[in-house]
Amino acid sequence: MTNPDVRADADDVDACREAALTLLDAAARSSGALAQRLSRKGFDEPTIEQVIARLTRLCLLDDRSYAQDLLRSCLHRTMGERGVLNEMTRKGLNRTLSEEVIAQAAEEGLFVDSAYELGRKVAKRTEGLDLRVRKRRLWSAGSRKGHDPSLLTRVANDLLVESD
């Protein structure tokens, strides 16, 4: 008796490649996320690995480029280091690569810029409120977005002042 969940073409490289290209046509993906999707479609692991290796050689799949694009998107959403790492992990990127891309961005001061941008938005939204409320809202937003607590303290001290 055959298992209805197993694909008849689970080891067919051409079928797997077509499925992979269709998925990549719909949205950019990391190799990890693509492998997960192909696995859920019923392709076997050796076939998936072969297809991903080929797509990588052809530069149709580039995890470093994907990670850098994702980083830019996260920074645009004023996320911090921890938040970006969580997002990259969720998107199936290799942790080592994610940490390299994040370390480079941190060295360039991009997370400081992101925290200050978030601080300016919170300061504008909370203008006229009690200083404790303003700080609490900054801390809440900054924590959800994965910013470092010491950086949030610096941003609060620089941007939030007592209202008259």
Side-chain angles (χ1 to χ4, degrees), residues 4-160:
D5 294 333
V6 175
R7 291 180 69 112
D9 62 351
D11 62 349
D12 183 344
V13 173
D14 290 333
C16 185
R17 184 182 65 243
E18 284 304 312
L21 291 172
T22 299
L23 289 167
L24 289 173
D25 190 40
R29 300 174 198 281
S30 68
S31 59
L34 183 60
Q36 288 176 336
R37 290 293 300 268
L38 292 171
S39 180
R40 283 196 303 250
K41 287 184 171 285
F43 292 102
D44 62 23
E45 193 171 325
T47 303
I48 294 169
E49 288 173 6
Q50 185 178 349
V51 166
I52 287 177
R54 174 100 170 116
L55 293 174
T56 301
R57 281 193 309 275
L58 294 172
C59 299
L60 296 174
L61 195 57
D62 182 347
D63 280 354
R64 182 166 297 279
S65 176
Y66 181 78
Q68 291 167 336
D69 289 345
L70 184 55
L71 171 70
R72 281 189 289 280
S73 171
C74 289
L75 289 171
H76 181 72
R77 294 173 10 226
T78 64
M79 293 174 72
E81 290 180 51
R82 191 180 73 251
V84 173
L85 181 60
N86 289 341
E87 186 73 3
M88 288 182 171
T89 300
R90 191 177 71 75
K91 296 283 189 172
L93 283 164
N94 171 290
R95 186 168 183 97
T96 304
L97 173 62
S98 298
E99 288 172 349
E100 286 176 20
V101 170
I102 289 169
Q104 178 64 39
E107 191 176 298
E108 294 172 12
L110 299 179
F111 294 111
V112 172
D113 294 345
S114 177
Y116 273 91
E117 180 61 26
L118 176 64
R120 285 188 286 278
K121 288 178 181 180
V122 171
K124 185 176 180 181
R125 262 195 331 261
T126 62
E127 197 169 0
L129 297 178
D130 181 73
L131 182 59
R132 289 178 303 220
V133 171
R134 298 179 85 199
K135 285 183 176 183
R136 186 176 65 238
R137 290 196 181 164
L138 173 62
W139 271 88
S140 178
S143 295
R144 279 193 311 274
K145 291 179 176 277
H147 283 285
D148 180 78
S150 63
L151 180 55
L152 290 175
T153 298
R154 194 167 94 205
V155 170
N157 291 338
D158 289 349
L159 299 180
L160 302 178

